[in-house]
Amino acid sequence: MDTTQIFLKNKEEEQDFLPLQGTDYIEFYVGNAKQAAHFYKTAFGFQSLAYAGPETGVKDKVSYVIRQNKITFVLTTPLRTDNEIADHIYKHGDGVKVIALKVDDATSAWKETTSRGAQSYLEPKVMEDETGEVIMSGIHIYDDSVHLFVERKNYTGLFMPGFVKWDSRYNPTSTGLLFVDHCVGNVGWNQMNKWVKFYEDVMGFKNILSFDDKDISTEYSALMSKVMSNNNGYVKFPINEPAEGKRKSQVEEYLDFYKGAGVQHIAIATSNIIETVTMLEQRGVEFLKIPPSYYETVLDRVGKIDEDLMPLSKLGILIDKDDEGYLLQIFTKPIEDRPTLFFEIIQRKGAKSFGKGNFKALFEAIEREQEARGNL
Ligand code: FE2
């Protein structure tokens, strides 16, 4: 390596002190992991992957690991009260605890972020079994949520030391869900910029898009949002905060029921949204309903698209465009009884944005649900 190369390499490292290879897994703390795993397999088409619990020497909790293409979910439930997981569920209901990020060096990730002000959740920890080692570290983010940094370059095992293969006779087919596109966090009143600065300062992210309450307000409820992205764009975290409207913001409803800040939705990419959503619907996943009038004018706004409008309108799939292309997206209703976490299914056809042109139709659909719950 000559001096120019060294300079370039140093420059690169200086610019990205936290290189991320994407989302490693998402861990949910849930009241009944056995049933939750069944739900995600049945409804969303995940496959059984790994298991840890009393049979594997873990005495206080059970975790089921499920996977579909590049998406890995861990569903964890406590076996007793008086522990952090049970407290988390009592306070928040079922929800996301961990957004784990894939890194090349978990020790460096921890040092770089904690030295920039992150509060440590887990000091770098080496876990080994006969197939190698995984190094993990972690930091706190908003409220009780955390990021774990997972280094698995010296590991060939199924998921992680401590887990055994989960063989199941029940293996519903995939619904074509491919990878996590983005994860949105809802934070409290006037907290958005604090968390934007956290992702900038502590994790080296950039604010790539902003929406103020004029972009995102309907007659009643409003929110503000800024999209944070890491250097290579593999990891994107929009951050929402409630804004003053005539009535209660959807973010405020979330905060009331989640009892604090947390993950609002996980957007999952597919390469054929019509097929994916058709299968999800058949398996009982409930989506927000969009009025037929949306489809009367949508093509005037987005121009020509490859898909037929008929199946899109039948399923309630939304369309938006930006300078680089268009996208198709749809949102589930909350997937637990508290109106908190939901999923987005997204197919990008060039567009790198988040569906700003759909905010009005989408938020009116959310308001109809809020109204039905008596929370508007
Ligand atoms: Fe989204």
Side-chain angles (χ1 to χ4, degrees):
M1 207 184 268
D2 66 24
T3 42
T4 328
Q5 278 175 313
I6 290 168
F7 173 78
L8 284 173
K9 191 163 186 291
N10 286 344
K11 185 104 181 127
E12 223 170 75
E13 276 167 7
E14 184 186 283
Q15 280 170 349
D16 194 2
F17 58 84
L18 184 64
L20 301 174
Q21 296 154 14
T23 307
D24 192 279
Y25 67 89
I26 294 174
E27 182 167 12
F28 304 73
Y29 283 176
V30 298
N32 188 333
K34 182 181 282 228
Q35 290 188 3
H38 198 289
F39 168 77
Y40 281 106
K41 286 172 65 175
T42 303
F44 286 90
F46 282 80
Q47 299 294 316
S48 302
L49 181 75
Y51 170 86
E55 301 85 347
T56 68
V58 180
K59 294 298 177 206
D60 56 344
K61 63 177 183 179
V62 173
S63 294
Y64 295 83
V65 186
I66 53 175
R67 180 169 286 169
Q68 182 167 184
N69 295 305
K70 287 186 176 166
I71 314 156
T72 306
F73 286 170
V74 181
L75 301 152
T76 295
T77 210
L79 290 171
R80 298 170 197 283
T81 52
D82 300 325
N83 58 66
E84 179 246 335
I85 306 170
D87 293 348
H88 195 279
I89 296 164
Y90 179 75
K91 182 178 173 188
H92 301 295
D94 287 6
V96 171
K97 172 66 181 181
V98 178
I99 301 174
L101 304 168
K102 208 182 287 288
V103 296
D104 205 44
D105 185 340
T107 309
S108 155
W110 183 85
K111 282 184 186 154
E112 295 289 349
T113 50
T114 53
S115 70
R116 286 172 169 81
Q119 195 196 334
S120 174
Y121 173 71
L122 175 69
E123 287 189 20
K125 183 178 163 191
V126 183
M127 293 169 301
E128 288 172 296
D129 64 18
E130 63 288 350
T131 63
E133 66 170 33
V134 172
I135 306 175
M136 289 227 285
S137 64
I139 58 170
H140 289 272
I141 53 168
Y142 37 76
D143 210 328
D144 290 327
S145 309
V146 301
H147 286 318
L148 288 182
F149 302 115
V150 184
E151 171 187 337
R152 48 171 82 253
K153 62 177 184 284
N154 298 315
Y155 192 68
T156 56
L158 206 53
F159 176 61
M160 207 169 276
F163 285 80
V164 294
K165 187 168 194 287
W166 175 19
D167 266 320
S168 173
R169 284 181 292 109
Y170 178 61
N171 302 301
T173 51
S174 164
T175 59
L177 302 176
L178 297 176
F179 58 86
V180 173
D181 185 276
H182 59 275
C183 278
V184 180
N186 277 345
V187 300
W189 290 96
N190 306 311
Q191 296 292 299
M192 177 180 70
N193 286 327
K194 175 189 154 182
W195 288 103
V196 164
K197 195 166 160 32
F198 172 90
Y199 278 105
E200 282 171 351
D201 294 351
V202 169
M203 296 184 66
F205 280 41
K206 300 246 166 9
N207 176 208
I208 54 166
L209 277 173
S210 299
F211 309 104
D212 65 18
D213 50 349
K214 279 163 220 62
D215 295 320
I216 315 187
S217 70
T218 55
E219 195 186 345
Y220 294 128
S221 68
L223 64 83
M224 293 195 276
S225 187
K226 286 188 176 173
V227 181
M228 305 307 294
S229 173
N230 84 316
N231 215 19
N232 61 16
Y234 290 2
V235 180
K236 292 185 285 294
F237 296 136
I239 312 279
N240 296 336
E241 73 175 17
E244 288 293 350
K246 280 190 194 162
R247 291 166 83 176
K248 189 186 265 189
S249 165
Q250 52 172 294
V251 178
E252 204 180 347
E253 187 197 34
Y254 175 100
L255 297 168
D256 280 356
F257 282 86
Y258 200 69
K259 292 270 173 253
V263 174
Q264 179 215 34
H265 75 265
I266 300 167
I268 296 180
T270 169
S271 60
N272 189 335
I273 197 164
I274 294 174
E275 265 180 36
T276 293
V277 174
T278 300
M279 283 190 270
L280 293 173
E281 278 241 303
Q282 283 165 357
R283 296 170 184 215
V285 176
E286 296 177 313
F287 293 96
L288 290 176
K289 289 286 166 251
I290 301 301
S293 58
Y294 172 91
Y295 297 92
E296 288 164 14
T297 54
V298 67
L299 293 184
D300 302 337
R301 177 164 61 80
V302 301
K304 201 179 148 355
I305 57 168
D306 302 334
E307 294 73 14
D308 288 336
L309 203 55
M310 188 59 116
L312 297 177
S313 70
K314 199 172 134 260
L315 296 165
I317 294 166
L318 301 165
I319 314 151
D320 196 26
K321 67 155 184 185
D322 61 23
D323 295 342
E324 293 170 89
Y326 70 96
L327 62 83
L328 305 155
Q329 63 185 169
I330 190 168
F331 297 83
T332 72
K333 292 183 181 182
I335 45 99
E336 55 289 292
D337 289 305
R338 294 194 200 191
T340 53
L341 177 73
F342 58 89
F343 286 90
E344 171 182 352
I345 311 299
I346 184 165
Q347 181 179 3
R348 293 187 181 279
K349 302 196 91 167
K352 296 210 176 78
S353 50
F354 293 81
K356 179 176 160 181
N358 291 323
F359 287 166
K360 191 168 186 299
L362 173 64
F363 295 159
E364 283 171 355
I366 292 175
E367 281 172 12
R368 286 192 289 278
E369 299 285 319
Q370 269 183 277
E371 178 93 77
R373 292 191 284 263
N375 296 332
L376 187 60

